[in-house]
Amino acid sequence: MEKVHVLDHPLLQHKLSILRDESTGVKEFREVVSEIATLMCYEATRDLPLQAVEVQTPVAKAVTHQISGKKLAIVPVLRAGLGMVDGILTLVPSVKVGHIGLFRDPETLEPVKYYCKMPTDISERDVIVLDPMLATGGSASAAISFVKEYGVKNIKLMNILAAPEGIARVQKDHPDVDIYVAAVDEKLNDHGYIVPGLGDAGDRIFGTK
Ligand code: PRP
Ligand code: URA
């Protein structure tokens, strides 16, 4: 489980309880998804490499550190992953953004791809795939495979909520990928929903139900 990072900071737990509450409306749900993405981004970027640089402060020269190495891209899985984009951009405003459109067939629970657009230099970037929900893991596993097809070597997956089944699926298909989650729930129900979960993240972000 060393590739699974459960970020159980009190602020994340508090905000997640707001998302779980069925009485939380669209506006607040959207805002809190974004805030959680910002807090998770802080942790998921903890290992970014630094380089020493010299700057002139108003007082003296200082050797300080700036982010170096490969640049970052984020890839939200449409639709629900879009809700996490602004929260990431708050901390790393210059990241490039690729998009993968997937929906889960309600009968088979298999992901169906309907859109894909990546930055042209994606192969030179480290990538964080974003999706609030990791249920069966089919969507995340497919999204990671698509990103790998572009030649990306270093991929992280960021989900707000995961089921054990989804974590197991991604670890089996992509053992190289670090997974960042705010909580791991008990199980999936017969419809592939996370229990207790928070319902359908895309519908709650976009108010489509
Ligand atoms: C949801 C969610 C994930 C997927 C998770 O998307 O946002 O992408 O289901 O399920 P899985 O782990 O079993 O694949 P959905 O298919 O509902 O599409 P949406 O984001 O457009 O609502
Ligand atoms: N997708 C969601 O949005 N919620 C779930 O519980 C499972 C898949």
Side-chain angles (χ1 to χ4, degrees):
M1 293 290 272
E2 71 192 29
K3 289 266 184 195
V4 182
H5 309 267
V6 182
L7 308 177
D8 55 1
H9 189 286
L11 287 172
L12 282 168
Q13 292 190 48
H14 179 84
K15 289 176 192 299
L16 184 51
S17 79
I18 296 171
L19 295 189
R20 289 188 191 276
D21 187 338
E22 66 175 2
S23 70
T24 300
V26 173
K27 176 178 181 287
E28 191 180 12
F29 192 91
R30 210 179 265 156
E31 287 168 356
V32 173
V33 165
S34 188
E35 289 169 6
I36 288 177
T38 304
L39 292 169
M40 293 187 76
C41 177
Y42 182 77
E43 286 297 335
T45 53
R46 189 173 276 286
D47 60 351
L48 284 180
L50 293 171
Q51 64 184 10
V53 294
E54 192 178 79
V55 299
Q56 177 71 51
T57 79
V59 179
K61 280 196 167 57
V63 175
T64 179
H65 292 88
Q66 294 181 351
I67 290 165
S68 70
K70 278 197 183 172
K71 297 214 162 63
L72 209 55
I74 54 175
V75 177
V77 178
L78 310 184
R79 289 176 301 169
L82 286 176
M84 299 173 77
V85 170
D86 283 350
I88 306 282
L89 295 181
T90 301
L91 290 189
V92 276
S94 57
V95 293
K96 291 196 176 176
V97 185
H99 293 85
I100 295 178
L102 292 176
F103 68 85
R104 203 170 64 150
D105 184 297
E107 301 298 325
T108 65
L109 300 184
E110 286 300 316
V112 181
K113 182 174 156 190
Y114 60 89
Y115 186 74
C116 189
K117 180 80 180 176
M118 293 292 155
T120 49
D121 61 353
I122 188 88
S123 65
E124 295 153 32
R125 291 174 179 267
D126 294 339
V127 167
I128 305 177
V129 173
L130 308 174
D131 194 327
M133 308 302 276
L134 181 63
T136 65
S139 303
S141 181
I144 292 165
S145 295
F146 293 138
V147 171
K148 283 184 175 174
E149 281 172 20
Y150 285 82
V152 177
K153 295 281 180 296
N154 186 2
I155 301 172
K156 291 174 178 171
L157 174 65
M158 188 190 291
N159 308 111
I160 294 176
L161 202 51
E165 294 89 334
I167 290 178
R169 169 79 186 266
V170 173
Q171 289 204 300
K172 177 171 158 286
D173 294 352
H174 303 287
D176 53 308
V177 169
D178 279 278
I179 305 171
Y180 294 83
V181 296
V184 182
D185 274 9
E186 193 188 325
K187 60 177 183 182
L188 295 178
N189 68 15
D190 292 343
H191 304 288
Y193 275 83
I194 299 174
V195 180
L198 51 76
D200 188 306
D203 281 339
R204 296 194 66 188
I205 291 169
F206 294 107
T208 42
K209 219 172 218 169

